[in-house]
């Protein structure tokens, strides 16, 4: 496209000479674009101005009003019902840092810049980048530019959380993975707009460089609507100069420290639920184990099949992107909710649901509120936790036959969630690690024989999920079902009746995907995960896959001793208290 761009170089050179492409002027035109588009709606602007004026103060130099970090946190608590205490304050500071980082785009700093005050313009800019589906108004999307994807938004979230440098020993691997991700995600836009898709990681620069290109194109001076704008590619040379002069970081060198991410995740899980002040009220610190499991999901990907400790370590862009798409796609919904509610006077952006009522409190439950928060992070549009009721619970050693559990699942009128908790079998150790696996089936009677497509389950719910296996501990993961495949069955394996979730050929003999099997009256379990090879990505029923594996975790098998089995289902007419152990 550079041949078309050459006649425009003279115009760009004049803008450079006149100072129009200085950092200050680029940001000024960006702010003007936000003002004149729907990046922030008119009623939102009015609400934002009112909130800002209620908490701002004049700068020491008397050159304008600003919102301090402390006032920002106070607004989160007062208007957004954000958790208090040390845990809440820590998470609130991280959210403030995210907004202050995004307010600097397209000139992101190295690490986390220390910004203790935000002007109304900076706050508006930060919110416009933070909320989903707003960037399309900021960055013009046309045949001369490129259409932004959900990966662009996820990446900005990652960048805003990244405060450390990726270890030099893995930077090249991360760079290669990031570039491969950019190639595969470039066409992640509606089919009718595919002609607008374009790669944003090439020999000229990575995604941070291409963000600058997007802004230079979108904010160029247009003296007359009839004049053809300078094409995006014509700005490549000057964008390189600006990037070098501003010292913009490289994406592959950025990483999120796990302790920082865990602090935020605990608050996000807490915010998924409505909270009343009573004896059953949950504190943020009670979400520690659930947050640990999610952090492990975000750390996967750099070492095939290895779950690094979640007490230390780092998260790179490729591993962040993979986990946010597959293991916890709704994790940041409370982030959007709290920002919109606090500053824009609206509870939710489009596609984000309200906080849910927590599941009922019952004795000795596997589905605690923190574990329910994990499930909501990938099933937010498919279940409502306030309507869940525990149908049955079995504890060791009082278990049942595979046929009985299959019947209990089939008897669920709407959907069913089966939770299986236990401890891993480790040779030479007397105590194994906690493990929790589960099944979600929106069509219990049909999914057993043929996993239903989401639109066949609920054609009016765009976020409906199909049948899936999942893992909640020690790492969170989701193994989505293949439409048309058999979901589960009672099979005779070497003379033992075995409940098998997966290919109906017995545990351990399928070529790919995931198989979960329970034997000995459901008291012993085994999960087989085959994440290598091309089969894992296939959707064809004929390849023997019922549940897709996670390619980042490679091939592994784990046995476990079952301690608890619970079956939950939604009851929409009430939040009836659950019965006790074999509850029906």
């Amino acid at each position: 496209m550079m041949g078309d761009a050459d006649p425009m170089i003279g115009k760009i050179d004049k803008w450079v000479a006149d100072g129009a492409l200085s950092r200050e002027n680029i940001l000024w035109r960006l702010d003007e674009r936000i003002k004149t588009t729907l990046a922030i709606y008119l009623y939102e602007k009015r609400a934002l101005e009112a909130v800002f004026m209620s908490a701002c103060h004049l700068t020491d130099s008397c050159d304008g009003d600003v919102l301090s970090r402390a006032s920002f946190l106070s607004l989160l608590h007062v208007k957004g019902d954000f958790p208090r205490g040390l845990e809440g304050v820590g998470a609130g500071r991280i959210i403030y840092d995210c907004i202050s980082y995004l307010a600097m785009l397209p000139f992101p700093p190295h690490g986390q810049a220390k910004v203790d005050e935000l002007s109304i313009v900076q706050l508006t800019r930060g919110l416009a980048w933070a909320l989903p589906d707003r960037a399309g108004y900021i960055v013009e999307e046309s045949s001369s530019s490129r259409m932004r994807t959900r990966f662009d938004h996820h990446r900005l979230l990652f960048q805003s959380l990244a405060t450390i440098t990726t270890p030099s020993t893995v930077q090249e691997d991360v760079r290669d993975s990031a570039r491969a991700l950019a190639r595969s995600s470039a066409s992640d836009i509606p089919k009718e707009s595919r002609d607008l898709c374009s790669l944003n990681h090439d020999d000229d620069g990575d995604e941070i460089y291409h963000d600058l290109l997007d802004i230079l194109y979108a904010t160029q001076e247009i003296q007359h609507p009839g004049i053809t704008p300078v094409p995006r590619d014509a700005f490549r040379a000057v964008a390189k100069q600006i990037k070098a002069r501003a010292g913009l970081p490289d994406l592959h060198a950025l990483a999120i420290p796990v302790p920082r991410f865990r602090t935020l995740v605990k608050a996000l899980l807490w915010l998924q639920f409505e909270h009343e002040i009573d004896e059953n009220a949950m504190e943020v610190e009670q979400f520690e184990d659930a947050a640990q499991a999610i952090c492990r999901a975000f750390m996967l990907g750099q070492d095939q099949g290895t779950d690094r400790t979640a007490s230390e370590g780092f998260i790179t862009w490729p591993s962040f992107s993979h986990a946010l798409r597959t293991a916890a796609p709704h994790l940041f919904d409370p982030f959007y909710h709290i920002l919109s509610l606090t500053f824009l006077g609206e509870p939710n952006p489009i596609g984000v649901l309200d906080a849910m009522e927590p599941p009922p409190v019952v004795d000795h439950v596997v589905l605690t509120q923190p574990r329910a928060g994990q499930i909501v992070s990938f099933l937010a549009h498919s279940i409502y936790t306030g309507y869940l009721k525990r149908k049955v619970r079995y504890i060791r050693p009082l278990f049942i036959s595979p046929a009985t559990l299959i019947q209990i699942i089939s008897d669920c009128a709407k959907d069913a969630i089966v939770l299986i908790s236990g401890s891993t079998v480790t040779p030479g150790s007397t105590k194994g690690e906690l493990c929790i696996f589960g099944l979600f089936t929106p069509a219990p009677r049909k999914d057993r024989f043929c996993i239903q497509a989401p639109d066949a389950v609920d054609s009016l719910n765009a976020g409906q999920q199909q049948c899936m296996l999942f893992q909640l501990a020690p790492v969170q993961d989701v193994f989505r079902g293949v439409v048309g495949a058999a979901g589960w069955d009672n099979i005779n394996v070497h003379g033992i009746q075995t409940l098998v979730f997966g290919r109906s050929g017995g545990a351990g003999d399928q070529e790919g995907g995931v198989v979960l099997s329970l034997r000995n009256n459901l008291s012993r379990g085994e999960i087989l995960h085959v994440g290598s090879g091309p089969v894992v990505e296939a959707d064809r029923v004929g390849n023997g896959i019922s549940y897709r594996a996670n390619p980042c975790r490679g091939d592994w098998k784990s046995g476990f001793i079952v301690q608890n089995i619970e079956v939950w289902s939604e009851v929409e007419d009430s939040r009836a208290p659950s019965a006790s152990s074999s509850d029906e």
Side-chain angles (χ1 to χ4, degrees):
M1 294 181 63
M2 285 305 299
D4 297 331
D6 289 340
M8 304 291 184
I9 299 301
K11 184 178 290 189
I12 294 175
D13 290 341
K14 185 177 186 305
W15 286 337
V16 172
D18 294 343
L21 297 186
S22 67
R23 176 191 179 109
E24 293 74 18
N25 283 321
I26 291 171
L27 288 175
W28 181 84
R29 290 195 301 276
L30 174 60
D31 294 332
E32 288 299 303
R33 186 167 181 83
I34 292 174
K35 286 180 184 178
T36 57
T37 64
L38 296 178
I40 301 292
Y41 303 125
L42 179 60
Y43 67 89
E44 292 176 333
K45 293 175 184 175
R46 293 169 178 163
L48 177 58
E49 290 169 358
V51 171
F52 181 86
M53 293 307 298
S54 72
C56 68
H57 67 274
L58 193 63
T59 62
D60 294 338
S61 56
C62 299
D63 57 356
D65 293 318
V66 292
L67 185 70
S68 68
R69 180 189 297 264
S71 296
F72 183 98
L73 296 180
S74 178
L75 288 172
L76 291 182
H77 294 309
V78 173
K79 291 185 170 293
D81 195 25
F82 200 76
R84 299 178 183 271
L86 292 177
E87 298 278 359
V89 170
R93 287 173 177 165
I94 293 173
I95 292 177
Y96 175 89
D97 289 341
C98 288
I99 298 301
S100 62
Y101 176 97
L102 295 172
M104 299 182 191
L105 296 180
F107 300 99
H110 278 283
Q112 195 69 54
K114 185 73 170 177
V115 179
D116 291 322
E117 297 174 331
L118 292 172
S119 68
I120 182 66
V121 172
Q122 291 172 321
L123 179 59
T124 303
R125 193 189 304 148
L127 290 171
W129 287 118
L131 296 174
D133 301 324
R134 304 300 178 98
Y137 297 109
I138 303 174
V139 179
E140 182 174 333
E141 299 171 333
S142 69
S143 58
S144 296
S145 182
R146 62 177 289 269
M147 178 169 281
R148 307 277 293 190
T149 71
R150 59 174 173 157
F151 289 84
D152 290 300
H153 177 70
H154 292 171
R155 175 175 50 78
L156 294 184
L157 290 178
F158 166 80
Q159 290 177 212
S160 71
L161 291 165
T163 58
I164 61 174
T165 301
T166 306
S168 58
T169 53
V170 299
Q171 282 196 17
E172 285 304 312
D173 290 340
V174 175
R175 187 204 301 267
D176 292 343
S177 296
R179 190 159 187 171
L181 175 60
R183 286 194 296 268
S184 64
S185 64
S187 59
D188 183 57
I189 57 179
K191 186 178 296 185
E192 62 272 15
S193 302
R194 291 285 168 80
D195 57 329
L196 302 183
C197 68
S198 177
L199 187 63
N200 64 335
H201 188 143
D202 52 30
D203 292 340
D204 283 345
D206 64 12
E207 292 87 339
I208 293 177
Y209 162 81
H210 280 267
D211 281 347
L212 177 59
L213 265 183
D214 286 343
I215 297 302
L216 291 177
Y217 171 77
T219 62
Q220 63 180 288
E221 295 179 346
I222 303 295
Q223 296 180 342
H224 189 279
I227 298 177
T228 302
V230 176
R232 177 180 181 272
D233 280 358
F235 288 97
R236 284 179 176 266
V238 72
K240 290 181 182 178
Q241 298 170 10
I242 295 173
K243 180 180 185 295
R245 188 165 58 245
L248 302 188
D250 293 320
L251 180 60
H252 71 272
L254 304 180
I256 303 172
V258 168
R260 173 181 175 82
F261 189 60
R262 187 171 62 249
T263 296
L264 177 63
V265 170
K266 282 188 284 187
L268 295 180
L269 292 175
W270 187 92
L271 285 165
Q272 287 175 336
F273 301 106
E274 300 172 357
H275 293 276
E276 299 179 359
I277 302 177
D278 58 25
E279 68 276 8
N280 295 320
M282 297 288 293
E283 301 294 336
V284 175
E285 55 264 27
Q286 292 176 272
F287 288 77
E288 174 74 24
D289 290 345
Q292 288 271 19
I294 289 178
C295 285
R296 287 189 175 100
F298 278 79
M299 294 168 68
L300 292 171
Q302 295 307 303
D303 297 319
Q304 287 277 59
T306 300
D307 298 355
R308 291 189 294 258
T309 173
S311 61
E312 300 176 348
F314 58 93
I315 299 168
T316 64
W317 160 233
S319 61
F320 181 92
S321 175
H322 178 79
L324 194 56
R325 282 181 290 118
T326 60
H330 296 288
L331 178 63
F332 280 87
D333 283 10
F335 174 83
Y336 308 135
H337 173 86
I338 197 73
L339 290 176
S340 185
L341 183 63
T342 300
F343 295 105
L344 305 180
E346 287 290 308
N348 294 313
I350 295 174
V352 176
L353 301 178
D354 288 330
M356 298 185 184
E357 295 176 79
V361 178
V362 293
D363 294 334
H364 309 294
V365 68
V366 177
L367 189 65
T368 61
Q369 192 175 135
R371 297 302 182 188
Q374 289 181 252
I375 293 176
V376 171
S377 74
F378 56 86
L379 285 178
H381 290 259
S382 298
I383 63 167
Y384 185 78
T385 55
Y387 292 149
L388 288 175
K389 177 185 177 183
R390 190 170 71 183
K391 307 291 287 185
V392 296
R393 172 178 181 248
Y394 297 97
I395 59 175
R396 190 174 188 86
L398 302 177
F399 289 124
I400 54 175
S401 69
T404 302
L405 183 57
I406 287 175
Q407 187 60 52
I408 291 170
I409 297 172
S410 298
D411 287 343
C412 292
K414 192 180 178 185
D415 48 30
I417 295 175
V418 182
L419 293 173
I420 304 149
S421 71
S423 56
T424 56
V425 178
T426 305
S429 175
T430 58
K431 185 178 181 181
E433 185 177 25
L434 171 69
C435 61
I436 303 175
F437 296 99
L439 167 77
F440 166 70
T441 166
R445 295 181 182 178
K446 294 181 179 180
D447 284 337
R448 175 187 174 186
F449 303 103
C450 177
I451 294 176
Q452 303 295 295
D455 58 357
V457 175
D458 188 348
S459 61
L460 301 180
N461 181 3
Q464 177 66 50
Q465 294 292 311
Q466 72 260 43
C467 178
M468 64 178 66
L469 293 176
F470 57 84
Q471 184 178 7
L472 300 182
V475 56
Q476 178 165 313
D477 211 342
V478 174
F479 314 112
R480 287 175 174 79
V482 175
V483 173
W488 59 91
D489 205 354
N490 181 13
I491 298 169
N492 187 307
V493 180
H494 305 304
I496 300 174
Q497 290 301 306
T498 305
L499 176 54
V500 179
F501 299 91
R503 180 189 177 198
S504 57
D509 67 348
Q510 79 166 28
E511 297 177 355
V514 175
V515 172
L516 175 65
S517 59
L518 302 174
R519 66 183 189 279
N520 295 359
N521 285 333
L522 312 183
S523 66
R524 299 296 294 258
E526 180 181 270
I527 182 165
L528 171 68
H529 181 282
V530 182
S532 61
V535 175
V536 73
E537 298 295 340
D539 261 346
R540 300 186 304 275
V541 177
N543 62 19
I545 301 298
S546 291
Y547 300 98
R548 297 187 197 92
N550 180 347
C552 294
R553 296 180 69 183
D555 300 343
W556 52 273
K557 181 168 64 174
S558 179
F560 57 95
I561 300 172
V562 179
Q563 301 291 348
N564 295 272
I565 296 175
E566 294 181 348
V567 179
W568 293 74
S569 186
E570 288 188 80
V571 181
E572 293 191 17
D573 57 345
S574 70
R575 292 191 61 199
S578 170
S580 58
S581 176
S582 213
D583 305 347
E584 302 265 87

